[in-house]
Amino acid sequence: MTGRNQTAITEFLLQGLPMESERKNLFFALFLVMYVTTVLGNLLIIFLIRLDSQLHTPMYLFLSNLSFSDLCFSSVTMPKLLQNMQSQVPSIPYAGCLTQMYFFMLFGDLESFLLVAMAYDRYVAICFPLHYTTIMSPKLCLSLLALSWVLTTLGAMLHTLLMARLSFCADNVIPHFFCDLSALLKLSCSDTQANELVIFITGGLILVIPFLLIILSYARIVLSILKVPSARGIYKAFSTCGSHLAVVSLFYGTVIGLYLCPSSDNSTLKEMVMAMMYAMVTPMLNPFIYSLRNRDMKGALGKVFFKKKTSFSV
């Protein structure tokens, strides 16, 4: 009855990033460059993998899906942030807020599963090279992708439906730059215990377990390479694994710290900075860490430009 007696909220106001007005244009340009870099980098990877038949392998299948996920993940929040930075009233409709939250969680969770699939693919390729084609069959790869999409869709839908049942009182100002799950729960005047329990359970399944599996995969990779007495191979392995684990730690560390290990003294600014790390920085870095440093990707890029130069010369 109390929920029905509350005033219905039709829109929320996004407080945005706390910044001085004279620096707003500078930050707007910075975020615009970051978003354009993310879009172009991930589109380039998808484009190259689709064009080059030599890249039609399990590894690049997962990479193309990760690029698509990063592209969508960044596009869920960045355009709205850029729009609100130029708007006097940074509002978002109630339905639009829930929609943004749904797709944010969908593509964020999808990235978690894809990172696990990619780590497993590298583990099989390095530790069991003779059985790679047998283990990483097209059927297994498509099954992993389908399972990832289904689980993340159901998980995001569950959180959104639980959020839709909550009531919101007079305060409709979200102290964030997007409709974040934890920020919305703080605004609700309903009992949020069920929501928090689901966050804890699904967080363990979607974040903690995948993170541990990735760490285990790379640990097995490093141990396998250390058995081969090759200084060049060891350097290359640690260089590759180190850069991958740096991005993985940045993504999982901020998400787990924000949603599964919240502290009472966490300031709004600290929470927004952590959210920016996994929502903006990680999707921008992934194309450079996972793909554009790759020799095969550089070769595919060279083929594309070589064909263009050849066609122009003819």
Side-chain angles (χ1 to χ4, degrees):
M1 293 297 293
T2 56
R4 294 181 180 179
N5 292 334
Q6 300 294 343
T7 302
I9 295 293
T10 59
E11 67 176 11
F12 291 100
L13 297 178
L14 294 170
Q15 183 174 309
L17 301 172
M19 62 182 70
E20 299 176 1
S21 57
E22 56 268 20
R23 295 185 178 181
K24 183 172 291 187
N25 291 333
L26 176 62
F27 279 100
F28 177 84
L30 174 63
F31 293 146
L32 180 61
V33 170
M34 291 176 63
Y35 180 60
V36 171
T37 303
T38 302
V39 171
L40 294 180
N42 286 289
L43 283 178
L44 177 61
I45 291 170
I46 296 173
F47 175 72
L48 291 177
I49 293 176
R50 190 172 183 86
L51 281 185
D52 195 338
S53 59
Q54 293 184 352
L55 300 181
H56 295 173
T57 62
M59 172 183 170
Y60 295 106
L61 173 65
F62 295 134
L63 276 174
S64 60
N65 277 267
L66 179 68
S67 295
F68 176 77
S69 177
D70 282 334
L71 177 62
C72 296
F73 189 42
S74 181
S75 298
V76 169
T77 58
M78 289 293 284
K80 186 62 179 176
L81 170 63
L82 294 172
Q83 177 189 351
N84 287 343
M85 290 182 70
Q86 300 296 316
S87 175
Q88 298 296 328
V89 184
S91 62
I92 183 171
Y94 174 81
C97 188
L98 292 185
T99 302
Q100 186 187 53
M101 187 192 77
Y102 169 79
F103 284 107
F104 183 83
M105 302 197 68
L106 168 64
F107 292 111
D109 294 345
L110 180 62
E111 178 156 345
S112 177
F113 281 101
L114 290 174
L115 289 174
V116 176
M118 291 168 60
Y120 178 70
D121 175 80
R122 291 300 84 203
Y123 163 71
V124 175
I126 294 176
C127 298
F128 305 98
L130 299 179
H131 303 282
Y132 177 76
T133 54
T134 304
I135 297 175
M136 299 302 297
S137 62
K139 182 179 179 181
L140 176 63
C141 296
L142 293 177
S143 298
L144 289 175
L145 288 177
L147 182 63
S148 300
W149 277 97
V150 170
L151 291 179
T152 53
T153 300
L154 293 178
M157 187 178 298
L158 176 60
H159 285 294
T160 305
L161 292 176
L162 287 174
M163 182 64 67
R165 57 179 273 277
L166 299 180
S167 300
F168 295 90
C169 303
D171 188 7
N172 68 334
V173 179
I174 301 176
H176 220 298
F177 63 90
F178 70 99
C179 292
D180 180 60
L181 177 63
S182 59
L184 284 173
L185 288 179
K186 293 177 182 178
L187 285 182
S188 175
C189 49
S190 302
D191 184 8
T192 60
Q193 288 185 356
N195 300 69
E196 294 169 356
L197 178 61
V198 171
I199 290 175
F200 183 78
I201 295 174
T202 58
L205 296 174
I206 296 176
L207 296 174
V208 178
I209 294 179
F211 178 65
L212 294 177
L213 290 175
I214 292 174
I215 297 297
L216 179 62
S217 297
Y218 281 114
R220 294 291 300 272
I221 290 173
V222 171
L223 290 176
S224 177
I225 294 177
L226 287 177
K227 296 178 182 179
V228 182
S230 171
R232 183 179 180 182
I234 292 175
Y235 172 78
K236 183 179 180 181
F238 277 102
S239 175
T240 303
C241 293
S243 58
H244 288 189
L245 286 175
V247 177
V248 167
S249 300
L250 177 65
F251 176 77
Y252 283 100
T254 52
V255 175
I256 292 174
L258 189 59
Y259 293 105
L260 298 186
C261 305
S263 58
S264 56
D265 60 344
N266 269 0
S267 64
T268 302
L269 178 60
K270 182 179 178 181
E271 291 180 353
M272 281 193 280
V273 170
M274 293 173 68
M276 288 176 62
M277 288 296 104
Y278 71 85
M280 298 183 187
V281 178
T282 303
M284 182 182 66
L285 292 180
N286 278 343
F288 299 97
I289 297 298
Y290 284 100
S291 300
L292 297 182
R293 292 177 57 196
N294 186 284
R295 183 176 59 185
D296 295 332
M297 293 295 295
K298 290 180 180 178
L301 186 62
K303 289 179 184 178
V304 172
F305 282 104
F306 179 75
K307 288 181 179 180
K308 286 185 177 181
K309 288 181 180 179
T310 304
S311 61
F312 283 131
S313 62
V314 173

